[in-house]
């Protein structure tokens, strides 16, 4: 294919016009070029211009290369083989001879676009590389002593990553040799940089490969890459950034050859992270590598790397920084940012031109805290808890306030991830935090509040035992002179009071309400006002009906905030709305009714504002008020449900064409071919996070409305079910989890409309007529179908919510609801227990890489597994004796979690699950008692953890109750093993009290079932009576009083001997404030009369 000199001249003139500073000239040239570039004859003209080193300017030749890259791919397929060969040979000549780097770079793009087309053609013809001459050229150029030629080779490889990864695998060993030859001392830095960039691009394509032989040749280059990056000659920031990007991609690979380099990767990342001479964004990339390894390879990181070294590095970053270490709580809060910036201005001289902080940029503290949080959340706790806590304790005793700040801040950071370890060690942890709260340095006090808040949020309910120590200290900190301390102390109150019982908050209730109201009225800091309102809401929830006298005053305060209309005040308005919803929950329908209409009007008005955060607050209020007002909420359903449906339908993400990378990609976009196939997949998903949160809130609200407004919700069921079924397939795990919870609520309105609110069903009975109406049956079928799909999701949170949803539906509707889906339910549940479900596959993959030796000892408790085990208990409750035939499958999987090597939460969960099965199946467990239930219960009764012992006591008790005479021979051993539980100090903690209560209940069940087998009764009965009344687990009241009343009615001789104790226990049951049911009190009162 040829072109005339006139064509070349005309094209050259137009390209030169594109480079002018005159917009009109550029637009005119573009309009003229567009039709010319659609004609294949433009290719030879552009090619001749590209080759014209003596006749064309560098800039024009560069533009020719850019346009060739854009237009050649679509025209190339129209050319005959000879023309294609000619074009390829000419491009190779340009690459070989072009003296100007910018033109070479442009021509690389042309070559890669041709290579892609040739590879596609070869693949269609049966396989092969396509343009073999290009690979030969690359191989020769890489070995050329001219650094320009060597760099060119690796730049070409970088552009051709996908082609090489898919079509050149048989040449991987030789390619690895090219890379290795470039990563030795003496090679020019620009060549090494290009080599590392190309290697990183290739590995990013190969990270998901299962074939070890594919990845291994390139993974073996890691030591050389890191050596180059650390060398003074080549180790520029640009090089280090390129290497860190490569390491990030490698983090996700399950290849053993890549995993084998994890120690080197971590050492390099820590070196960069600790280097103050590097830009903060580069150091942040290093932190991301460590955090990603924690997420993708937690067991490998913990077992192979020096966690002590990682933790020390993170502590050093925090203590050597002047940034607030509690700021992570509020950095996304505009009010907090504004107040902190204003404080900084107030502290500077008028002529100080220092810039305000860029809140979106990383700091040493934010990097360290984010990385430590990921380590704490992901690593097995045996690797991370002690290294962090030992440093916290050491630094808290330091004379250096920055070290004390780091110590208390890091303690707060790990509270979420290490919650189980924190709960076990609260007696040692809390004194350190309380001491730090009284520190002379504001930055330490602020972090102490942060730590207290984290403990209050994540160590429930154990932290509540310290309310008498914590609340007075926090109350005093509300008067602190530092805004940060005031706001964080409000945060502590919010987190702590959410789970506190009325008795816990009662001593300080009046003072708290007055103090928070005063702060709200007097403070000019929006961040303090917002946190004060949140703390007020939490105080109301803790106080429950005792908050009723404060409602008028608080409502008046909130009403002022509910009238705010300035955009900067929307969050404060939303907080006030949220507070009213919490007050409603606290004081109930009757006390809140006078404020219902006003609160609803304000919430609905907020929906008209252009503020998704305000919408989210409104949805939360709708959820709470529907829960409180019940059927009185029904009149607004017609207005709200369609709105919520529209929100749930909205797309929270949208695909947008990705920006081209590099100057060549961005240049002359108006001259792109709209039909260019190369851009067909060049789109990325932009997520509107605020809308995502609104959608989640709307799903929550619609679920609560369905649960609490009764039959009035039925007309909306069909449309709501449709949007929830779609939402359950959403890409975001939070939306899927929320949808699972809402789906189960859809059954409630049908049950209200067709069954008066409840369905009468019999355990295990599927022989009779289905008690569900056709409508309810259809809703149940649709709901369970969606929830079963979610059990196969890859997100544990969504799976846990699906299990809870199935449990809720089955317990409401009974065996006929389970029967059609029983096989799926049981199969999927067993897969979860056996760790064979999709959401557990990533952990299994890492275990396989590690040789399987870390699968048990290193696994921490998965909270969602509690929902799985609860579902197993529900199967027993619904199926009754029919579940017995599945025990051979389920029991081994459950007992795997009861091993001593498992975390205490797992052991407690497993033995508790055995107890629920035993309680529901009775004699149905008889063939498994001596091999499973009995040894597991005895082992767990001797456990060091009170929760494990508690559940073991329950299990052995219900086994004795259900199996009766079949197990009386084991009574002596059971009594001997359970006896130490009565020596536990019930006042030590709620867990200790519950443990003793369940021991008492177990012995009571044994006595009630076979009193003659409980020997010697004259020793057992006094111990039992001494442990009564129950202190914590009031669900066992009926069990223990039934036992005592039975002994009394049988005129057992030991009753008279222990008459005084019987009177004491019975009188406490009749006392005011007793938690004993009224029906049971009638029998106890009669017993008291008989004893008198």
């Amino acid at each position: 294919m040829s072109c005339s000199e006139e064509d070349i001249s005309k094209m050259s003139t137009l390209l030169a016009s594109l480079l002018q500073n005159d917009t009109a000239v550029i637009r005119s040239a573009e309009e003229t070029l567009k039709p010319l570039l659609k004609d294949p004859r433009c290719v030879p003209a552009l090619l001749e211009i590209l080759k014209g080193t003596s006749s064309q300017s560098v800039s024009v030749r560069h533009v020719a290369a850019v346009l060739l890259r854009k237009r050649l791919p679509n025209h190339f397929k129209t050319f005959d083989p000879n023309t294609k060969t000619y074009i390829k040979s000419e491009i190779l000549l340009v690459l070989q001879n072009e003296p100007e780097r910018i033109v070479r770079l442009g021509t690389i793009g042309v070559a890669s676009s041709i290579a892609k087309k040739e590879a596609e053609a070869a693949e269609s013809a049966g396989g092969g590389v396509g343009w073999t001459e290009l690979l030969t050229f690359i191989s020769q150029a890489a070995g050329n002593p001219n650094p320009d030629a060597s760099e060119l080779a690796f730049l070409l490889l970088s552009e051709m990553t996908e082609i090489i990864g898919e079509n050149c695998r048989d040449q991987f060993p030789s390619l690895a040799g090219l890379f290795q030859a470039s990563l030795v001392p003496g090679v020019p830095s620009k060549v090494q940089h290009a080599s590392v960039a190309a290697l990183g691009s290739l590995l990013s394509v190969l990270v998901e490969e299962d074939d070890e032989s594919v990845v291994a040749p390139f993974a073996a280059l890691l030591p050389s890459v890191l050596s180059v990056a650390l060398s003074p000659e080549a180790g520029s920031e640009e090089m280090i950034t390129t290497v860190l990007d490569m390491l990030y991609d490698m983090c996700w690979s399950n290849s053993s050859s890549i995993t084998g380099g994890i120690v080197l990767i971590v050492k390099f990342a820590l070196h960069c992270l600790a280097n103050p001479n590097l830009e903060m964004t580069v150091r942040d990339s290093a932190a991301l590598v460590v955090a990603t390894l924690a997420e993708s390879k937690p067991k490998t990181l913990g077992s192979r790397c020096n966690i002590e070294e990682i933790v020390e590095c993170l502590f050093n970053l925090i203590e050597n920084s002047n940034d607030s270490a509690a700021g992570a709580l509020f950095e996304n809060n505009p009010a907090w940012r504004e107040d902190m910036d204003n404080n900084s201005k107030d502290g500077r001289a008028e002529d100080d031109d220092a810039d305000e902080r860029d809140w979106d940029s990383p700091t040493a503290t934010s990097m360290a805290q984010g990385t430590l949080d990921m380590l704490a959340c992901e690593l097995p706790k045996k690797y991370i808890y002690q290294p962090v806590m030992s440093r916290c304790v050491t630094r808290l005793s330091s004379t250096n306030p920055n070290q004390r700040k780091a110590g208390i801040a890091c303690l707060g950071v790990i509270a979420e991830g290490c919650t189980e370890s924190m709960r076990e060690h609260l007696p040692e942890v809390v004194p350190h935090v309380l001491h730090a709260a009284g520190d002379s340095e504001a930055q330490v006090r602020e972090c102490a509040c942060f730590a207290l808040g984290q403990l209050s949020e994540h160590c429930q309910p154990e932290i509540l035992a310290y309310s008498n120590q914590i609340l007075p200290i926090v109350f005093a900190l509300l008067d602190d002179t530092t805004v940060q301390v005031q706001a964080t102390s409000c945060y502590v109150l919010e987190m702590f009071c959410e789970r506190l019982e009325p008795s816990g908050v009662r001593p300080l209730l009046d003072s708290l309400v007055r103090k928070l109201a005063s702060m709200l009225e007097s403070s000019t800091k929006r961040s303090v006002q917002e946190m004060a309102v949140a703390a007020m809401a939490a105080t109301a929830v803790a106080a429950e009906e005792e908050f009723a006298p404060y409602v008028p005053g608080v409502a008046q305060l909130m009403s002022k905030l509910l009238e705010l209309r300035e955009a900067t005040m929307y969050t404060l308005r939303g907080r006030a709305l949220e507070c009213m919803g919490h007050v409603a929950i606290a004081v109930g329908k009757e006390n809140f009714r006078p404020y219902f209409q006003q609160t609803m009007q304000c919430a609905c008005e907020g929906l008209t504002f252009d503020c998704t955060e305000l919408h989210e607050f409104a949805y939360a209020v709708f959820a709470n008020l529907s829960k409180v007002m019940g059927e009185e909420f029904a009149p607004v359903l017609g207005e709200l449900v369609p709105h919520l449906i529209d929100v749930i339908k909205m797309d929270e993400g949208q695909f947008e064409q990705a920006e081209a990378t590099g100057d060549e990609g961005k240049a002359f976009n108006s001259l792109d071919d709209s039909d260019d196939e190369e851009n067909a997949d060049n789109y990325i998903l932009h997520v509107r996070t605020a809308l995502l949160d609104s959608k989640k809130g709307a799903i929550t609200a619609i679920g609560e409305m369905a649960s609490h407004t009764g039959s009035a919700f039925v007309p909306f069921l069909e449309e709501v079910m449709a949007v929830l079924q779609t939402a359950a397939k959403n890409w975001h795990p939070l939306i899927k989890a929320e949808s699972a919870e809402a789906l189960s609520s859809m059954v409630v309105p049908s049950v209200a409309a067709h069954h008066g609110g409840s369905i009468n069903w019999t355990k295990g009975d599927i022989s009779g007529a289905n008690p569900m109406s056709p409508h309810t049956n259809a809703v149940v079928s649709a709901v369970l179908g969606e929830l079963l799909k979610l059990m196969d999701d890859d997100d544990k949170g969504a799976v846990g919510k699906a299990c809870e949803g199935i449990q809720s539906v089955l317990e409401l509707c009974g065996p006929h609801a389970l029967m059609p889906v029983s096989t799926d339910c049981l199969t999927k549940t067993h897969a979860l227990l056996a760790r064979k479900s999709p959401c557990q596959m990533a952990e299994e993959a890492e275990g396989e890489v590690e040789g399987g030796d870390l699968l048990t000892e290193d696994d921490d408790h998965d909270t969602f597994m509690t929902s799985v085990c609860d579902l197993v208990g529900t199967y027993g409750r619904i199926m009754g004796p029919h579940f017995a035939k599945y025990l051979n499958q389920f029991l081994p999987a459950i007992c795997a979690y009861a091993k001593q090597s498992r975390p205490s939460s797992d052991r407690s969960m497993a033995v508790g699950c055995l107890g629920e099965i035993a309680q529901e199946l009775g004699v149905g467990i008889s063939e498994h008692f001596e091999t499973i239930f009995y040894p597991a219960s005895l082992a767990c009764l001797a456990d060091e953890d009170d929760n494990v012992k508690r559940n073991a006591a329950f299990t052995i008790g219900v086994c004795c109750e259900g199996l009766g005479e079949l197990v009386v021979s084991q009574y002596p051993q059971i009594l001997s093993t359970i006896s130490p539980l009565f020596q536990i100090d019930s006042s030590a903690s709620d867990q200790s009290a519950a443990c003793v209560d369940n021991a008492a209940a177990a012995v009571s069940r044994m006595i009630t079932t076979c009193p003659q087998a409980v020997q010697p009764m004259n020793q057992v009965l006094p111990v039992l009576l001494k442990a009564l009344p129950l202190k914590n687990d009031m669900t066992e009241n009926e069990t223990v009083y039934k036992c005592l009343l039975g002994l009394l009615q049988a005129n057992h001789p030991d009753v008279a001997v222990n008459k005084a104790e019987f009177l004491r226990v019975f009188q406490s049951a009749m006392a005011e404030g007793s938690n004993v049911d009224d029906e049971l009190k009638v029998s106890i009162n009669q017993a008291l009369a008989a004893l008198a």
Side-chain angles (χ1 to χ4, degrees):
M1 178 179 284
S2 61
C3 59
S4 66
E5 288 296 328
E6 182 182 352
D7 290 339
I8 297 171
S9 177
K10 180 180 179 182
M11 182 69 74
S12 176
T13 301
L14 290 169
L15 300 190
S17 297
L18 293 176
L19 300 171
Q20 301 303 308
N21 289 326
D22 191 325
T23 304
V25 172
I26 294 173
R27 286 179 179 172
S28 176
E30 287 175 345
E31 291 303 314
T32 306
L33 275 168
K34 283 179 181 179
L36 294 177
L37 293 176
K38 289 185 177 182
D39 189 330
R41 287 175 296 180
C42 72
V43 173
L46 291 171
L47 187 55
E48 290 301 318
I49 293 171
L50 179 62
K51 292 161 49 183
T53 55
S54 60
S55 59
Q56 303 290 341
S57 70
V58 172
S59 299
V60 168
R61 288 190 292 118
H62 175 235
V63 174
V66 172
L67 293 182
L68 269 174
R69 177 178 187 172
K70 291 177 179 290
R71 292 299 183 143
L72 182 56
N74 268 0
H75 293 319
F76 197 74
K77 59 190 176 186
T78 67
F79 299 146
D80 59 56
N82 289 334
T83 302
K84 290 180 180 179
T85 300
Y86 170 76
I87 293 172
K88 289 187 292 182
S89 63
E90 291 298 292
I91 291 298
L92 290 180
L93 286 173
V94 172
L95 289 172
Q96 181 177 338
N97 300 319
E98 175 56 54
E100 298 294 337
R101 189 172 189 272
I102 188 171
V103 181
R104 289 199 303 273
L105 292 176
T107 309
I108 287 170
V110 180
S112 67
S113 66
I114 296 175
K116 181 175 182 180
K117 289 300 177 184
E118 290 289 86
E120 290 172 356
E123 191 171 351
S124 300
V129 177
W131 192 3
T132 56
E133 296 85 356
L134 179 60
L135 290 180
T136 302
F137 175 85
I138 290 172
S139 179
Q140 293 173 349
N144 194 313
N146 182 348
D148 288 343
S150 300
E151 180 194 31
L152 178 70
F154 293 110
L155 291 174
L156 276 165
L157 287 175
S158 190
E159 279 285 325
M160 297 168 57
T161 296
E162 291 186 13
I163 301 168
I164 293 168
E166 295 174 8
N167 302 88
C168 305
R169 298 196 168 197
D170 56 339
Q171 300 186 44
F172 277 8
S174 60
L175 283 173
L178 294 183
F179 284 116
Q180 181 63 63
S182 70
L183 298 173
V184 295
V187 175
S189 60
K190 72 174 184 179
V191 176
Q192 292 185 326
H193 188 197
S195 171
V196 170
L199 179 60
S201 296
L202 183 57
L203 282 171
S204 70
V205 173
L206 301 178
V207 286
E208 295 183 4
E209 275 293 332
D210 295 325
D211 187 347
E212 190 66 36
S213 65
V214 170
V215 184
F218 302 108
L221 301 172
L222 180 62
S224 298
V225 169
L226 298 183
S227 177
V228 165
L230 291 173
S231 68
E233 298 82 11
S236 64
E237 281 200 349
E238 187 179 7
M239 168 68 89
I240 290 172
T241 300
T242 301
V243 171
L244 289 170
D245 288 343
M246 180 181 76
L247 296 181
Y248 172 79
D249 287 332
M250 293 174 69
C251 289
W252 297 106
S253 172
N254 287 323
S255 164
S256 60
S257 55
I258 288 180
T259 303
I262 192 171
V263 173
L264 290 175
I265 293 173
V266 170
K267 282 186 174 295
F268 179 79
L270 291 182
H271 171 83
C272 298
L273 186 55
N275 187 346
N277 297 318
L278 292 175
E279 287 289 335
M280 200 61 76
T281 52
V282 180
R283 298 168 72 188
D284 193 42
S285 295
L288 181 62
V289 169
V290 177
T292 304
L293 283 172
E295 182 181 4
S296 62
K297 296 175 173 52
K299 299 173 190 174
T300 309
L301 180 64
S303 63
R304 297 191 185 184
C305 296
N306 188 339
I307 302 301
E308 300 269 358
E309 183 182 7
I310 298 173
V311 171
E312 183 66 24
C313 175
L314 300 178
F315 269 77
N316 289 337
L317 287 173
I318 295 174
E319 64 194 29
N320 291 325
S321 167
N322 292 323
D323 293 306
S324 166
L329 275 176
F330 309 109
E331 283 179 359
N332 291 325
N333 184 336
W336 175 266
R337 293 185 178 190
E338 182 183 314
D339 289 343
M340 293 306 98
D341 285 338
N342 288 338
N343 281 353
S344 298
K345 289 177 183 176
D346 293 342
R348 296 197 301 259
E350 290 184 9
D351 59 348
D352 190 343
D353 294 328
D355 293 333
E356 292 181 1
R357 171 179 169 180
D358 181 0
W359 290 92
D360 295 321
S361 297
T363 66
T365 295
S366 68
M367 290 187 306
Q369 288 185 306
T371 306
L372 183 59
D373 180 47
M374 185 65 80
L375 291 168
C377 288
E378 301 295 338
L379 259 61
K381 302 310 167 269
K382 72 175 188 178
Y383 296 123
I384 187 66
Y385 180 74
Q386 198 53 46
V388 176
M389 281 305 301
S390 62
R391 284 167 174 76
C392 289
V393 172
T394 300
R395 281 166 168 80
L396 282 170
S397 61
S398 170
T399 57
N400 182 340
N402 278 344
Q403 289 196 333
R404 299 200 300 275
K405 173 192 75 172
I408 193 64
C410 290
L411 190 153
V413 167
I414 68 167
E416 179 180 5
C418 297
T419 178
E420 190 167 331
S421 301
M422 282 287 190
R423 288 174 177 174
E424 293 176 6
H425 295 93
L426 273 181
E428 304 103 77
V429 171
V430 171
H432 288 298
V433 183
L434 297 181
H435 185 264
D439 198 277
S440 59
E441 293 286 333
Q443 62 174 343
V444 181
R445 297 197 302 276
E446 177 192 7
C447 290
C449 285
F450 163 68
L452 271 177
Q454 292 288 287
L455 293 175
S456 300
E457 182 175 0
H458 301 295
C459 295
Q460 296 280 0
E462 291 83 355
I463 192 68
L464 299 179
Y466 300 89
S467 60
N468 291 337
Q469 300 170 59
I470 292 175
L471 285 178
I473 289 176
V474 176
F475 186 78
L477 289 171
L478 293 173
D479 286 324
D480 201 276
T481 56
T482 310
V483 172
Q484 294 96 313
V485 176
Q486 287 182 3
T488 46
S489 58
C490 288
Y491 159 71
V492 176
L493 282 177
E494 180 189 5
M495 293 299 104
F496 193 84
C497 291
E498 280 186 348
R499 292 279 296 276
L500 200 62
E501 293 294 324
S503 59
V505 77
R506 188 178 297 134
L508 287 172
L509 178 58
D510 188 70
S511 300
L512 267 179
V513 174
R514 293 179 186 279
K515 171 58 68 178
L516 291 171
S518 174
M519 290 177 68
L520 187 57
E521 290 184 304
S522 62
S523 179
T524 59
K525 305 294 185 183
R526 276 197 299 131
S527 58
V528 174
Q529 291 176 316
E530 289 176 13
M531 295 308 298
V533 173
M536 183 76 81
T539 302
V541 171
E544 296 180 4
E545 289 192 353
E546 293 184 25
F547 197 80
Y550 303 98
V551 174
V554 171
Q556 185 176 0
L557 272 177
M558 295 304 119
S559 67
K560 298 176 184 177
L561 304 180
L562 294 175
E563 295 174 0
L564 295 171
R565 281 172 169 73
E566 299 89 343
T568 56
M569 295 293 184
Y570 282 166
T571 303
L572 185 53
R573 175 179 170 135
R575 285 289 188 185
L577 194 58
E578 177 186 59
C579 181
M580 292 303 290
H582 282 84
V583 167
I585 293 287
V587 302
K589 181 192 297 185
E590 297 303 322
N591 288 316
F592 191 76
R593 186 177 285 114
Y595 311 98
F596 174 54
Q597 289 299 330
Q598 180 189 3
T599 305
M600 283 297 297
Q601 287 171 5
C602 179
C604 291
E605 183 187 38
L607 298 179
T608 66
F609 294 7
D610 184 19
C611 177
T612 52
E613 185 181 15
L614 202 50
H615 299 175
E616 190 182 345
F617 279 119
Y619 302 148
V621 167
F622 295 151
N624 283 334
L625 293 187
S626 64
K627 195 182 301 183
V628 173
M629 305 307 294
E631 294 185 0
E632 291 184 32
F633 193 88
V636 300
L637 292 177
E639 177 184 354
L640 292 182
V641 173
H643 170 82
L644 295 172
I645 288 173
D646 288 341
V647 174
I648 299 170
K649 284 181 177 178
M650 292 179 71
D651 187 0
E652 71 282 354
Q654 58 188 21
F655 284 96
E656 297 177 2
Q657 191 160 2
E659 288 188 14
T661 56
D663 294 338
E664 285 78 21
K666 295 176 182 177
F668 315 118
N669 286 333
S670 63
L671 297 175
D672 281 341
D673 190 337
S674 60
D675 299 324
D676 190 348
E677 294 173 9
E678 294 224 348
N679 290 326
D681 298 320
N682 195 23
Y683 286 83
I684 58 175
L685 178 66
H686 285 284
V687 179
R688 292 172 282 181
T689 308
L691 183 54
L692 191 72
D693 292 336
S694 288
K695 177 180 282 194
K696 177 178 176 291
I699 294 172
T700 303
I702 218 163
E704 293 295 346
M705 291 176 190
S707 289
H708 300 287
T709 56
S711 59
F713 197 86
V714 171
F716 307 100
L717 270 178
E718 185 175 350
E719 194 173 1
V720 170
M721 275 295 299
V723 295
L724 289 179
Q725 286 171 323
T726 301
K729 302 176 181 67
N730 191 279
W731 62 275
H732 199 285
L734 289 179
I735 299 297
K736 289 186 286 191
E738 207 63 41
S739 299
E741 192 165 0
L743 276 165
S744 62
S745 300
M746 296 302 111
V747 178
V748 178
S750 184
V751 172
H754 299 278
H755 306 275
S758 64
I759 297 175
N760 294 320
W761 54 268
T762 303
K763 179 194 294 188
D765 182 10
I766 54 174
S767 59
N770 187 344
M772 293 185 290
S773 70
H775 184 272
T776 301
N777 198 59
V779 175
V780 166
S781 177
V783 167
L784 290 179
E786 289 300 326
L787 293 176
L788 281 167
K789 292 175 189 174
L790 281 170
M791 285 184 75
D792 288 330
D793 197 78
D794 58 6
D795 178 71
K796 292 178 179 179
V799 173
K801 287 296 183 182
C803 291
E804 292 170 17
I806 291 172
Q807 177 184 356
S808 172
V809 173
L810 295 182
E811 292 185 349
L812 181 60
C813 301
H816 282 273
L818 175 61
M819 184 173 62
V821 294
S822 59
T823 300
D824 275 352
C825 279
L826 293 168
T827 301
K828 292 176 188 292
T829 305
H830 182 266
L832 285 163
L833 288 170
R835 302 170 58 89
K836 299 297 183 184
S837 277
C839 66
Q840 298 157 316
M841 287 298 98
E843 295 171 359
E844 296 302 307
E846 187 189 0
E848 290 170 9
V849 170
E850 287 296 311
D853 57 329
L854 299 176
L855 281 179
T856 54
E857 293 187 8
D858 276 6
D859 287 335
D860 291 314
H861 175 66
D862 266 327
T863 53
F864 91 104
M865 286 304 298
T866 301
S867 301
V868 178
C869 284
D870 287 345
L871 183 55
V872 174
T874 296
Y875 292 150
R877 197 148 43 253
I878 302 298
M879 299 172 69
H882 298 292
F883 188 57
K885 63 183 177 182
Y886 298 100
L887 292 183
N888 282 329
Q889 294 171 263
F890 277 84
L891 291 180
I894 294 168
C895 288
Y897 292 87
K899 294 178 181 177
Q900 192 59 39
S901 60
R902 302 293 304 174
S904 59
S905 294
D906 272 4
R907 303 196 301 273
S908 174
M909 173 188 76
V911 74
C913 185
L914 292 178
E916 289 190 39
I917 294 171
Q919 187 175 43
E920 299 301 337
L921 269 61
V923 294
I925 68 162
S926 57
E927 66 177 276
H928 304 283
F929 177 73
E930 290 197 7
T931 56
I932 299 288
F933 289 86
Y934 183 53
S937 296
L938 292 186
C940 290
L941 281 170
D943 199 277
E944 60 185 20
D945 184 84
D946 284 346
N947 278 326
V948 179
K949 291 196 284 262
R950 168 194 182 171
N951 284 352
F954 168 77
T955 299
I956 200 65
V958 295
C959 284
C960 292
E961 184 178 47
L963 295 171
E965 298 286 345
L966 296 174
V967 297
V968 292
S969 61
Q970 278 88 10
Y971 268 34
Q973 181 63 54
I974 294 171
L975 288 170
S976 174
T977 308
I978 208 169
S979 176
L981 273 62
F982 288 94
Q983 306 303 315
I984 294 172
D985 181 5
S986 293
S987 64
S989 67
D990 287 345
Q991 292 70 38
S992 300
C995 182
V996 177
D997 287 351
N998 277 266
V1003 173
S1004 297
R1005 286 187 168 95
M1006 296 170 73
I1007 294 172
T1008 300
T1009 304
C1010 294
Q1012 68 278 8
V1014 179
Q1015 297 294 334
M1017 181 68 84
N1018 62 352
Q1019 294 180 23
V1020 173
L1021 189 57
V1023 173
L1024 171 62
L1025 289 166
K1026 185 179 179 182
L1028 302 177
L1030 301 180
K1031 311 297 189 299
N1032 180 275
D1033 191 352
M1034 300 307 165
T1035 61
E1036 295 290 10
N1037 269 329
E1038 183 177 357
T1039 301
V1040 297
Y1041 287 112
K1042 178 183 176 183
C1043 167
L1044 299 183
L1045 291 170
L1047 290 173
L1048 182 62
Q1049 289 167 1
N1051 291 316
H1052 195 285
D1054 283 297
V1055 172
V1057 177
N1058 294 281
K1059 179 180 177 180
E1061 278 294 89
F1062 268 81
L1063 284 170
R1064 179 187 64 78
V1065 173
F1066 285 158
Q1067 286 166 355
S1068 68
M1070 299 302 295
E1072 186 177 353
S1074 164
N1075 288 298
V1076 178
D1077 292 341
D1078 291 340
E1079 187 177 344
L1080 196 53
K1081 283 183 177 179
V1082 173
S1083 299
I1084 294 172
N1085 198 38
Q1086 294 171 352
L1088 280 170
L1091 284 169

